[in-house]
mmCIF file of all heavy atoms in Angstrom:
data_model
loop_
_atom_site.group_PDB
_atom_site.id
_atom_site.type_symbol
_atom_site.label_atom_id
_atom_site.label_comp_id
_atom_site.label_asym_id
_atom_site.label_seq_id
_atom_site.Cartn_x
_atom_site.Cartn_y
_atom_site.Cartn_z
ATOM 1 N N TYR F 118 9.894 13.232 -5.482
ATOM 2 C CA TYR F 118 9.478 12.435 -4.300
ATOM 3 C C TYR F 118 8.740 11.120 -4.755
ATOM 4 O O TYR F 118 9.027 10.092 -4.197
ATOM 5 C CB TYR F 118 8.549 13.254 -3.407
ATOM 6 C CG TYR F 118 8.188 12.545 -2.133
ATOM 7 C CD1 TYR F 118 9.078 12.514 -1.048
ATOM 8 C CD2 TYR F 118 6.984 11.952 -1.998
ATOM 9 C CE1 TYR F 118 8.787 11.819 0.092
ATOM 10 C CE2 TYR F 118 6.648 11.232 -0.858
ATOM 11 C CZ TYR F 118 7.567 11.158 0.195
ATOM 12 O OH TYR F 118 7.254 10.485 1.334
ATOM 13 N N LEU F 119 7.910 11.264 -5.736
ATOM 14 C CA LEU F 119 7.157 10.026 -6.183
ATOM 15 C C LEU F 119 8.076 9.053 -6.957
ATOM 16 O O LEU F 119 7.632 7.943 -7.108
ATOM 17 C CB LEU F 119 5.993 10.483 -7.025
ATOM 18 C CG LEU F 119 4.676 10.567 -6.265
ATOM 19 C CD1 LEU F 119 4.703 11.758 -5.285
ATOM 20 C CD2 LEU F 119 3.479 10.678 -7.137
ATOM 21 N N GLN F 120 9.237 9.470 -7.382
ATOM 22 C CA GLN F 120 10.216 8.490 -7.933
ATOM 23 C C GLN F 120 10.844 7.690 -6.823
ATOM 24 O O GLN F 120 11.242 6.541 -7.010
ATOM 25 C CB GLN F 120 11.291 9.208 -8.685
ATOM 26 C CG GLN F 120 10.757 9.829 -10.024
ATOM 27 C CD GLN F 120 11.841 10.679 -10.721
ATOM 28 O OE1 GLN F 120 12.946 10.912 -10.192
ATOM 29 N NE2 GLN F 120 11.550 11.036 -11.927
ATOM 30 N N LYS F 121 10.911 8.231 -5.633
ATOM 31 C CA LYS F 121 11.528 7.512 -4.489
ATOM 32 C C LYS F 121 10.549 6.778 -3.598
ATOM 33 O O LYS F 121 10.853 5.748 -2.992
ATOM 34 C CB LYS F 121 12.290 8.517 -3.583
ATOM 35 C CG LYS F 121 13.440 9.214 -4.295
ATOM 36 C CD LYS F 121 14.223 10.097 -3.361
ATOM 37 C CE LYS F 121 13.468 11.368 -3.187
ATOM 38 N NZ LYS F 121 14.167 12.433 -2.405
ATOM 39 N N GLU F 122 9.319 7.332 -3.486
ATOM 40 C CA GLU F 122 8.259 6.766 -2.555
ATOM 41 C C GLU F 122 7.039 6.494 -3.336
ATOM 42 O O GLU F 122 6.651 7.201 -4.305
ATOM 43 C CB GLU F 122 7.956 7.780 -1.461
ATOM 44 C CG GLU F 122 9.115 8.087 -0.541
ATOM 45 C CD GLU F 122 9.459 6.879 0.412
ATOM 46 O OE1 GLU F 122 8.655 6.006 0.560
ATOM 47 O OE2 GLU F 122 10.614 6.950 0.911
ATOM 48 N N THR F 123 6.292 5.460 -2.966
ATOM 49 C CA THR F 123 5.042 5.152 -3.531
ATOM 50 C C THR F 123 3.959 5.914 -2.875
ATOM 51 O O THR F 123 3.683 5.807 -1.660
ATOM 52 C CB THR F 123 4.705 3.619 -3.405
ATOM 53 O OG1 THR F 123 5.795 2.900 -3.994
ATOM 54 C CG2 THR F 123 3.393 3.228 -4.063
ATOM 55 N N VAL F 124 3.298 6.765 -3.666
ATOM 56 C CA VAL F 124 2.156 7.562 -3.193
ATOM 57 C C VAL F 124 0.977 7.191 -4.005
ATOM 58 O O VAL F 124 1.041 7.193 -5.270
ATOM 59 C CB VAL F 124 2.458 9.103 -3.300
ATOM 60 C CG1 VAL F 124 1.217 9.954 -2.989
ATOM 61 C CG2 VAL F 124 3.613 9.505 -2.445
ATOM 62 N N ASP F 125 -0.144 6.785 -3.347
ATOM 63 C CA ASP F 125 -1.309 6.388 -4.079
ATOM 64 C C ASP F 125 -2.342 7.478 -4.208
ATOM 65 O O ASP F 125 -3.161 7.464 -5.190
ATOM 66 C CB ASP F 125 -2.048 5.239 -3.327
ATOM 67 C CG ASP F 125 -1.203 3.925 -3.437
ATOM 68 O OD1 ASP F 125 -0.283 3.842 -4.289
ATOM 69 O OD2 ASP F 125 -1.459 2.995 -2.587
ATOM 70 N N GLU F 126 -2.395 8.439 -3.286
ATOM 71 C CA GLU F 126 -3.474 9.482 -3.349
ATOM 72 C C GLU F 126 -2.904 10.743 -2.835
ATOM 73 O O GLU F 126 -1.875 10.853 -2.102
ATOM 74 C CB GLU F 126 -4.614 9.063 -2.438
ATOM 75 C CG GLU F 126 -5.212 7.727 -2.702
ATOM 76 C CD GLU F 126 -6.282 7.365 -1.673
ATOM 77 O OE1 GLU F 126 -7.203 8.218 -1.491
ATOM 78 O OE2 GLU F 126 -6.157 6.299 -1.052
ATOM 79 N N PHE F 127 -3.590 11.883 -3.200
ATOM 80 C CA PHE F 127 -3.266 13.166 -2.681
ATOM 81 C C PHE F 127 -4.448 13.716 -1.982
ATOM 82 O O PHE F 127 -5.596 13.479 -2.343
ATOM 83 C CB PHE F 127 -2.931 14.123 -3.837
ATOM 84 C CG PHE F 127 -1.718 13.857 -4.641
ATOM 85 C CD1 PHE F 127 -1.755 13.315 -5.893
ATOM 86 C CD2 PHE F 127 -0.429 14.121 -4.084
ATOM 87 C CE1 PHE F 127 -0.662 12.988 -6.565
ATOM 88 C CE2 PHE F 127 0.728 13.869 -4.806
ATOM 89 C CZ PHE F 127 0.594 13.275 -6.043
ATOM 90 N N VAL F 128 -4.164 14.564 -0.927
ATOM 91 C CA VAL F 128 -5.204 15.303 -0.231
ATOM 92 C C VAL F 128 -4.730 16.773 -0.309
ATOM 93 O O VAL F 128 -3.669 17.035 0.124
ATOM 94 C CB VAL F 128 -5.421 14.833 1.231
ATOM 95 C CG1 VAL F 128 -6.416 15.728 1.955
ATOM 96 C CG2 VAL F 128 -5.769 13.443 1.279
ATOM 97 N N VAL F 129 -5.654 17.606 -0.829
ATOM 98 C CA VAL F 129 -5.265 19.016 -0.935
ATOM 99 C C VAL F 129 -6.261 19.798 -0.046
ATOM 100 O O VAL F 129 -7.435 19.688 -0.171
ATOM 101 C CB VAL F 129 -5.342 19.513 -2.409
ATOM 102 C CG1 VAL F 129 -5.019 20.962 -2.529
ATOM 103 C CG2 VAL F 129 -4.420 18.691 -3.271
ATOM 104 N N GLY F 130 -5.678 20.682 0.767
ATOM 105 C CA GLY F 130 -6.478 21.536 1.598
ATOM 106 C C GLY F 130 -7.138 22.620 0.806
ATOM 107 O O GLY F 130 -6.526 23.311 0.000
ATOM 108 N N MET F 131 -8.492 22.690 0.945
ATOM 109 C CA MET F 131 -9.266 23.729 0.259
ATOM 110 C C MET F 131 -9.678 24.804 1.228
ATOM 111 O O MET F 131 -10.320 24.532 2.174
ATOM 112 C CB MET F 131 -10.498 23.104 -0.345
ATOM 113 C CG MET F 131 -11.368 24.036 -1.177
ATOM 114 S SD MET F 131 -10.430 24.978 -2.462
ATOM 115 C CE MET F 131 -9.921 23.695 -3.545
ATOM 116 N N PRO F 132 -9.166 26.056 0.932
ATOM 117 C CA PRO F 132 -9.417 27.137 1.883
ATOM 118 C C PRO F 132 -10.909 27.641 1.742
ATOM 119 O O PRO F 132 -11.319 27.926 0.650
ATOM 120 C CB PRO F 132 -8.417 28.226 1.490
ATOM 121 C CG PRO F 132 -8.032 27.911 0.107
ATOM 122 C CD PRO F 132 -8.229 26.396 -0.104
ATOM 123 N N LYS F 133 -11.561 27.643 2.864
ATOM 124 C CA LYS F 133 -12.979 28.083 2.886
ATOM 125 C C LYS F 133 -13.131 29.183 3.884
ATOM 126 O O LYS F 133 -12.316 29.368 4.807
ATOM 127 C CB LYS F 133 -13.893 26.943 3.292
ATOM 128 C CG LYS F 133 -13.847 25.734 2.414
ATOM 129 C CD LYS F 133 -14.752 25.957 1.295
ATOM 130 C CE LYS F 133 -14.927 24.685 0.456
ATOM 131 N NZ LYS F 133 -15.793 24.857 -0.635
ATOM 132 N N THR F 134 -14.210 29.935 3.721
ATOM 133 C CA THR F 134 -14.518 31.027 4.733
ATOM 134 C C THR F 134 -15.380 30.417 5.813
ATOM 135 O O THR F 134 -15.800 29.230 5.719
ATOM 136 C CB THR F 134 -15.277 32.174 4.096
ATOM 137 O OG1 THR F 134 -16.594 31.648 3.650
ATOM 138 C CG2 THR F 134 -14.545 32.799 2.871
ATOM 139 N N LEU F 135 -15.645 31.170 6.832
ATOM 140 C CA LEU F 135 -16.511 30.684 7.911
ATOM 141 C C LEU F 135 -17.930 30.406 7.415
ATOM 142 O O LEU F 135 -18.661 29.604 8.017
ATOM 143 C CB LEU F 135 -16.616 31.737 9.040
ATOM 144 C CG LEU F 135 -15.286 31.902 9.855
ATOM 145 C CD1 LEU F 135 -15.425 33.005 10.870
ATOM 146 C CD2 LEU F 135 -14.870 30.599 10.480
ATOM 147 N N LYS F 136 -18.309 30.976 6.278
ATOM 148 C CA LYS F 136 -19.640 30.707 5.664
ATOM 149 C C LYS F 136 -19.571 29.500 4.730
ATOM 150 O O LYS F 136 -20.527 29.254 3.964
ATOM 151 C CB LYS F 136 -20.116 31.953 4.892
ATOM 152 C CG LYS F 136 -20.430 33.061 5.795
ATOM 153 C CD LYS F 136 -20.876 34.271 5.006
ATOM 154 C CE LYS F 136 -21.164 35.511 5.876
ATOM 155 N NZ LYS F 136 -21.629 36.653 5.123
#
Side-chain angles (χ1 to χ4, degrees):
Y118 184 78
L119 268 67
Q120 289 175 353
K121 296 183 281 186
E122 296 288 342
T123 303
V124 172
D125 289 344
E126 306 174 54
F127 294 105
V128 177
V129 179
M131 182 53 64
K133 300 277 188 177
T134 67
L135 291 176
K136 294 180 181 180

